Amino acid sequence: MEHIINGFLSEVSKRNAHEPEFMQAVSEVAQTVLPYIVANDIYHGKNILMRMVEPERVVMFRVPWVDDTGEIQVNRGYRIEMNSAIGPYKGGLRFHESVNLSILKFLAFEQVFKNALTTLPMGGGKGGANFNPKGKSDAEVMRFCQSFMTELFRHIGPNRDIPAGDIGVGGREIGYMFGQYKRLKNEFTGVLTGKGISWGGSLIRPEATGYGAVYFAQNMLHTKGESFEGKNVVISGSGNVAQYAAEKAIQLGAKVLTLSDSSGFIYDPDGINQDKLEYIMELKNIKRERIHKYIEKYTTASFHKGKKPWGVACAIAMPCATQNELGESYAKVLIANGCYCISEGANMPSTPEAISQFHANRVLYAPGKASNAGGVAVSGLEMAQNSLRYNWTREEVDQRLQDIMEDIHDACVLYGTENKTINYEKGANIAGFVKVADAMLAQGVV
Ligand code: NDP
């Protein structure tokens, strides 16, 4: 088997030289999916995985804009339309200085599997720009978003490609982009998700990724007769996903000890309760401040500059910041300190070496493509509500989210159970693959 996997990866790597994150995501899938293909005649000999790693379309474009001092700035915009076998392309937009083709292709590839797992009819895509919104004025962010959409609008549409938010793209950015799309097309359609409630958004969409990652962890814990009640939880990030993962964990009786941003992490030994979390939300979402401000108000907490939170002892860890933020040495420390459940809110936050540690130590490990699928799932529900021209209640959407996370968990159990343990990584990869591959085979060589 190994020579088949290596041969495949060497072929993909020839075509995608200098794309380490994309190769990492492809390799992770190939390790579990290629043996499944070889063992199942209907997929064997159809070059199906090679077709899946090749994006259907990649658009790259110039984004010029004028900053507050009158200087002309130029960024690079992207949209990767990866796979539309089971529905229109769907996936977020990321605005971060690190954005490049490799990062967006890895995210788009993961998105294909994730969207298939949600049970909703959505293909996979991803996009963004190497634009850093930190420190920019609202007017600068608006001008950038308008320029970005002035090109992107011709490639997207409610039945073609429906972007959403991701790192650096929240409600403010979605609003500016939606406004520009509406103006250019002269139509009010559900072309973006993550919209405001009064103009087509869905209740629970902001909460969905974080809540979903906690619901997924809850399902994993239930297989061991455990729950969040009374457990210490360590979370990285302090953006959209981290905030709502913390909120749901607190609601379920856990003690959330940490949150972080790219400058370091805060550790609150008394636990971050709902009031403290609301202060963080105000700091991060309204004042757009850094996380260390927390310790000025809550003086028993400490700030650890330039550090990641994985050295803090916990039962449950939730990486919710960015890719490759949890490497092998951190994985060893987490396990040594008693952590036995990892639910990824971010995309690909654990390195392959860290994941090997989790498997070797029988940690309940959920890969992001399964555990953070709640965000895109509720985006799918937002699209459904837009088509119906109707809004479901908070309780209805939350219940559907919980049901979808349970279904994803069940799919992972179905395809990932081996020797009485559940390999969620294998289960998620194969369950996602089967749905997309079946559709591709039915639609012929297109
Ligand atoms: P936000 O922009 O709201 O927050 C990102 C958080 O991660 C911030 O605290 C940010 O700190 C931190 N962060 C970003 N880059 C780095 C870095 N290189 N090193 C350390 N910290 C970093 O983004 P989201 O919460 O929306 O996204 C977080 C993760 O979740 C991403 O991996 C994203 O792809 C994934 N995800 C998001 C979904 C969503 O619905 N939003 C859906 C599914 C997955 P700082 O402010 O200092 O940059």
Side-chain angles (χ1 to χ4, degrees):
M1 199 58 235
E2 209 166 306
H3 75 278
I4 296 181
I5 295 173
N6 290 341
F8 172 81
L9 290 176
S10 115
E11 189 56 39
V12 181
S13 135
K14 261 191 249 161
R15 293 187 190 193
N16 301 283
H18 317 301
E19 294 183 9
E21 293 87 0
F22 178 59
M23 285 310 302
Q24 183 181 334
V26 171
S27 166
E28 192 260 330
V29 165
Q31 310 286 343
T32 48
V33 166
L34 279 175
Y36 184 80
I37 291 176
V38 170
N40 287 276
D41 281 349
I42 53 164
Y43 305 116
H44 200 29
K46 311 275 182 1
N47 223 6
I48 191 82
L49 196 57
M50 193 57 90
R51 286 150 69 185
M52 287 170 84
V53 300
E54 198 59 43
E56 288 178 16
R57 190 175 300 107
V58 173
V59 188
M60 288 171 65
F61 52 95
R62 178 171 68 204
V63 189
W65 56 283
V66 180
D67 70 20
D68 286 347
T69 68
E71 292 285 321
I72 297 169
Q73 304 289 338
V74 186
N75 287 96
R76 184 176 289 174
Y78 304 80
R79 187 70 184 163
I80 318 293
E81 295 182 334
M82 197 78 194
N83 194 302
S84 61
I86 64 167
Y89 310 106
K90 178 94 197 88
L93 295 170
R94 176 176 292 192
F95 291 167
H96 193 267
E97 60 272 26
S98 64
V99 160
N100 59 33
L101 195 56
S102 172
I103 289 179
L104 293 181
K105 278 174 68 182
F106 115 64
L107 289 163
F109 183 64
E110 292 261 299
Q111 195 81 42
V112 173
F113 291 80
K114 181 189 310 193
N115 293 4
L117 286 168
T118 64
T119 68
L120 301 174
M122 298 181 289
K126 200 85 190 188
N130 63 338
F131 170 75
N132 177 8
K134 280 202 273 291
K136 303 283 191 302
S137 69
D138 281 354
E140 288 177 322
V141 171
M142 182 179 76
R143 287 195 292 275
F144 175 83
C145 289
Q146 289 176 340
S147 180
F148 183 82
M149 186 51 82
T150 301
E151 174 58 34
L152 186 69
F153 89 101
R154 63 189 95 246
H155 308 289
I156 62 176
N159 295 309
R160 182 184 297 172
D161 185 350
I162 308 96
D166 190 77
I167 290 179
V169 178
R172 172 181 63 168
E173 292 75 17
I174 293 289
Y176 293 148
M177 286 190 278
F178 182 79
Q180 184 72 350
Y181 181 88
K182 184 165 64 66
R183 188 177 191 197
L184 289 165
K185 295 284 282 193
N186 193 24
E187 61 185 38
F188 193 110
T189 46
V191 69
L192 292 159
T193 57
K195 300 185 288 298
I197 295 300
S198 61
W199 41 281
S202 173
L203 290 162
I204 301 284
R205 176 61 190 91
E207 295 89 339
T209 309
Y211 278 19
V214 171
Y215 292 145
F216 196 92
Q218 205 179 18
N219 280 295
M220 292 200 292
L221 292 167
H222 286 168
T223 65
K224 303 272 181 212
E226 299 266 3
S227 73
F228 269 83
E229 182 70 41
K231 302 285 184 330
N232 284 345
V233 180
V234 163
I235 299 178
S236 66
S238 53
N240 172 267
V241 180
Q243 291 172 15
Y244 289 105
E247 181 166 279
K248 185 52 71 181
I250 294 165
Q251 286 171 9
L252 294 178
K255 190 175 186 185
V256 174
L257 296 173
T258 67
L259 285 169
S260 73
D261 64 19
S262 51
S263 64
F265 77 91
I266 51 151
Y267 168 54
D268 188 334
D270 303 326
I272 298 166
N273 60 21
Q274 186 64 33
D275 285 348
K276 294 173 179 178
L277 184 62
E278 272 160 30
Y279 177 67
I280 291 173
M281 288 177 173
E282 187 192 323
L283 266 186
K284 299 299 290 189
N285 309 347
I286 297 165
K287 297 187 174 154
R288 299 190 187 275
E289 280 282 4
R290 311 303 294 154
I291 195 74
H292 66 76
K293 284 267 172 193
Y294 180 88
I295 63 162
E296 290 175 15
K297 188 168 164 80
Y298 300 105
T299 49
T300 53
S302 49
F303 175 64
H304 302 262
K305 194 175 171 194
K307 297 253 168 39
K308 296 188 189 331
W310 313 124
V312 175
C314 63
I316 301 161
M318 300 188 66
C320 295
T322 195
Q323 64 274 1
N324 291 327
E325 56 168 313
L326 203 174
E328 185 176 25
S329 52
Y330 288 126
K332 285 181 177 166
V333 173
L334 277 170
I335 294 163
N337 284 336
C339 176
Y340 60 85
C341 177
I342 314 270
S343 183
E344 295 184 339
N347 285 308
M348 209 167 75
S350 309
T351 64
E353 296 78 18
I355 296 171
S356 298
Q357 287 295 324
F358 300 146
H359 288 319
N361 289 280
R362 294 177 158 241
V363 169
L364 294 169
Y365 163 68
K369 62 170 80 78
S371 47
N372 72 31
V376 73
V378 175
S379 276
L381 300 180
E382 180 174 330
M383 288 160 68
Q385 292 170 84
N386 291 163
S387 300
L388 293 169
R389 302 201 183 280
Y390 188 74
N391 288 331
W392 293 321
T393 63
R394 202 178 157 82
E395 290 70 29
E396 277 174 300
V397 181
D398 193 30
Q399 189 56 55
R400 284 173 203 262
L401 171 62
Q402 290 185 49
D403 293 346
I404 289 171
M405 297 317 293
E406 193 176 340
D407 287 346
I408 297 173
H409 182 268
D410 291 349
C412 293
V413 173
L414 180 67
Y415 287 101
T417 302
E418 47 188 25
N419 305 325
K420 293 192 181 153
T421 59
I422 306 160
N423 180 336
Y424 288 93
E425 186 190 24
K426 178 180 168 188
N429 287 343
I430 297 177
F433 167 80
V434 165
K435 183 160 181 196
V436 177
D438 286 351
M440 288 175 74
L441 293 178
Q443 291 167 24
V445 181
V446 292

